[in-house]
Structures are given as C-alpha cells and as structure tokens.
Amino acid sequence: MQNTIRKKRPKNQQVWGFIGLSLVFSSVFLLYPIVYSLYLSLHRMQGLQSVFVGFGNYLRMLQDTIFQKALLNNFIFLIFQVPIMVLLGLLLAFVLNTPKLVGRSFFKLALFLPCVTSLVSYAVLFKMMFQIGGIVNQGLLNIGLITQPLDWLNNPLLAKLTVIIALCWRWTGYNMIFYLAGLQNISDDTLEAAAIDGANGFQKFFFVVIPQLKPVIVFTTITSTIGTIQLFDEVVNLTGGGPSNETLTVAQLIYNHSFVYTSNFGYSATLSWVLVIIIALLSVIQLKLAKTNQ
C-alpha cells in the first residue's frame, strides 16, 4: 500500500507542476494586464509619469463629447448591422441547405471567403470601390439611379452606410457557417411534417427552423454584438473615423488617446474598461431575453 502511494506522488507532482506553470503564465499575460489596466484608469499617465486622479478619468469621460459621439456611432452600427448579418446569414444558410441546389459548395466557399481575407486588403478594396470615380458610382450612373457621383466616404450618412455594407460583406458568411452547422442537426421529419400540414417555405423557415436554431442565433448575435462594439479596423482603413468623427468608434478613440494624441494611457484604460462593461451588460441582456422567450 505504501509503495503504491509513493508511486502516485511523483505523477501528482508532475501534474501540479504543469498546472502551476500554466497558472503562472496566465497570471503574467492575462491577470496582470487586467489589474494593471484598472490601476491605469485611476491615474493620469503620460510617458513614465503617473499622477493619481481617482475617478477623475471617469468624470472626464462623462463630459467628453467626442466619446459620446463615438459611442453613439457604435450603437448605430450595432442597431443596423447586427440584425442584417443575423437575418441574412439565416436566409443564406437555409437556401444553401437545400440538397437539390446546384453549386452549393461553390456558394458556401464564396460566401465564407471574405471572413478569411485580410482586413486591410478588403478595406482598401472597398475604399477604391466607393470613391467618387469608383465602380459603385459608375454602376449606379449606368443604371440611372443617380445623376452625379456620390461622395460616399466624405458624406456622414453615406460613410456610415459604407462601413455597414463592408461589415455585412465580410461577416455574414461567418454567421452563415454556424447556421449551416445548426441546420444539420434539424431532423427532416419536422420539415416534412410541416409540409404535410400545408406550411410553405416562409412558414417552415420562421416557425420550424428558427425556433430550433435559437441557441445558435443567440451565440452569433452575442459575438456579432461584441465585434461591433469593438469595431476598429474597418473604420480606420475606410474612413479614418471621418468625416468629422461621424464614423469614429470607441476602439479607435482609445487608440488615438494612446498613440495619436498626448499618449494618455490612463484615460485610454478608462475608456477600455467602460467598453468592457458595456459589452458585458449587452451580453447579459441578450442572454436574459433569450431565456425569457423560451
């Protein structure tokens, strides 16, 4: 019996050694930055100089009209872009799940391909397309929808619309893949039963498919919401936050305060923590709504 215990001890020590090593690395690279960012949010940091200001950064944020504008822009993108991505991804997945559809593999690849393209590359491509002399204006002129080229990237409303179109083009296919995976778990018997009861394609989609895909829809809605609140790359490369901060997002504002303006890392940390709190609240609200509707 004692020999058995002695044999087990070295193995247990090895296990705890590996666990301890992972805990050390997690603490250094995850916990420490989180704690230090909270420390920074209570200080005014410029270079290596630190001055404790308590909640001064948070009070400054409440009076910061540029932050309020950036946060409003985030919610505008959220309100319009996320429902489009979710609903369009559902429709595309439902259509591509049809066994008799010709070229299903090609369409799946074509719709998912934007998700794996370079952010900078596709942003530059969209910037070229939506320039005054770009292909979008030329196409609209040729079909007679407009009489003169539109300045997409320098008009406040059109710049927002351009960012929304770019986001939907890139991320709709990402959501679609999750819905396709979810559709594989839906029994054909339920669709056949609905067809026997006289349900058309529209009714089968909304009253049979969507209720069974609810967990996947909740997941993609939350991830899309988080991605939109953290929006950075598209606005930086497409519009630079302009015109007149009309497409500026909170993530870009955090970057500006860190590396473009006076390098106030304390205020940047404050904005980052507020962004984390907003994301957490929105995620909890969406989960609560999903449970309420069950």
Side-chain angles (χ1 to χ4, degrees):
M1 184 69 176
Q2 291 179 352
N3 293 334
T4 306
I5 295 173
R6 289 174 183 174
K7 290 180 181 179
K8 287 183 178 179
R9 281 179 179 174
K11 293 183 179 179
N12 292 336
Q13 290 175 357
Q14 291 177 0
V15 170
W16 282 109
F18 284 116
I19 293 175
L21 189 63
S22 64
L23 288 174
V24 170
F25 280 108
S26 298
S27 299
V28 171
F29 294 105
L30 292 177
L31 294 179
Y32 173 74
I34 292 173
V35 174
Y36 187 62
S37 67
L38 184 60
Y39 167 84
L40 285 178
S41 70
L42 302 176
H43 291 73
R44 184 172 66 249
M45 297 283 297
Q46 289 185 342
L48 298 177
Q49 296 181 351
S50 172
V51 178
F52 179 76
V53 293
F55 291 101
N57 286 327
Y58 293 91
L59 295 175
R60 173 186 171 183
M61 178 201 65
L62 295 176
Q63 301 171 354
D64 189 347
T65 56
I66 298 178
F67 166 74
Q68 295 169 7
K69 180 67 176 178
L71 187 61
L72 177 62
N73 291 336
N74 271 109
F75 277 99
I76 290 174
F77 291 135
L78 175 68
I79 292 170
F80 287 97
Q81 177 239 338
V82 172
I84 293 173
M85 283 202 321
V86 170
L87 186 57
L88 189 57
L90 274 168
L91 290 171
L92 290 172
F94 185 69
V95 172
L96 291 177
N97 196 50
T98 306
K100 297 181 181 180
L101 180 66
V102 178
R104 282 201 307 166
S105 299
F106 169 77
F107 289 117
K108 288 178 184 178
L109 177 63
L111 290 168
F112 184 72
L113 196 59
C115 304
V116 295
T117 56
S118 167
L119 280 167
V120 176
S121 299
Y122 105 89
V124 171
L125 178 63
F126 265 81
K127 195 169 185 176
M128 293 171 59
M129 291 170 55
F130 284 89
Q131 287 179 347
I132 293 180
I135 190 173
V136 174
N137 276 330
Q138 291 298 322
L140 294 175
L141 287 169
N142 291 337
I143 62 178
L145 287 180
I146 58 175
T147 57
Q148 59 182 4
L150 300 175
D151 195 358
W152 289 86
L153 301 177
N154 291 311
N155 179 284
L157 180 61
L158 294 178
K160 285 188 176 71
L161 181 59
T162 303
V163 173
I164 292 172
I165 292 172
L167 290 170
C168 292
W169 177 84
R170 180 174 173 83
W171 296 113
T172 298
Y174 179 81
N175 288 342
M176 180 199 70
I177 294 298
F178 285 102
Y179 300 140
L180 277 171
L183 287 170
Q184 304 301 316
N185 296 321
I186 295 178
S187 174
D188 293 335
D189 296 338
T190 57
L191 296 174
E192 292 175 0
I196 292 173
D197 290 338
N200 54 32
F202 178 86
Q203 292 170 326
K204 285 191 288 186
F205 177 74
F206 280 98
F207 298 108
V208 179
V209 173
I210 288 184
Q212 297 186 71
L213 283 180
K214 188 175 180 181
V216 184
I217 295 173
V218 172
F219 171 77
T220 54
T221 302
I222 291 175
T223 54
S224 298
T225 299
I226 293 173
T228 306
I229 294 296
Q230 294 178 331
L231 185 61
F232 176 79
D233 300 272
E234 284 79 2
V235 293
V236 169
N237 291 289
L238 272 175
T239 63
S244 301
N245 295 327
E246 289 295 328
T247 57
L248 179 71
T249 61
V250 177
Q252 186 183 0
L253 184 62
I254 293 171
Y255 174 84
N256 289 344
H257 278 291
S258 297
F259 305 107
V260 178
Y261 301 154
T262 57
S263 299
N264 190 342
F265 294 107
Y267 190 56
S268 299
T270 301
L271 297 181
S272 300
W273 270 101
V274 171
L275 205 61
V276 169
I277 293 170
I278 291 173
I279 290 172
L281 288 175
L282 289 176
S283 300
V284 169
I285 291 171
Q286 289 174 335
L287 288 171
K288 290 290 185 182
L289 290 175
K291 290 181 179 179
T292 302
N293 295 328
Q294 285 181 350

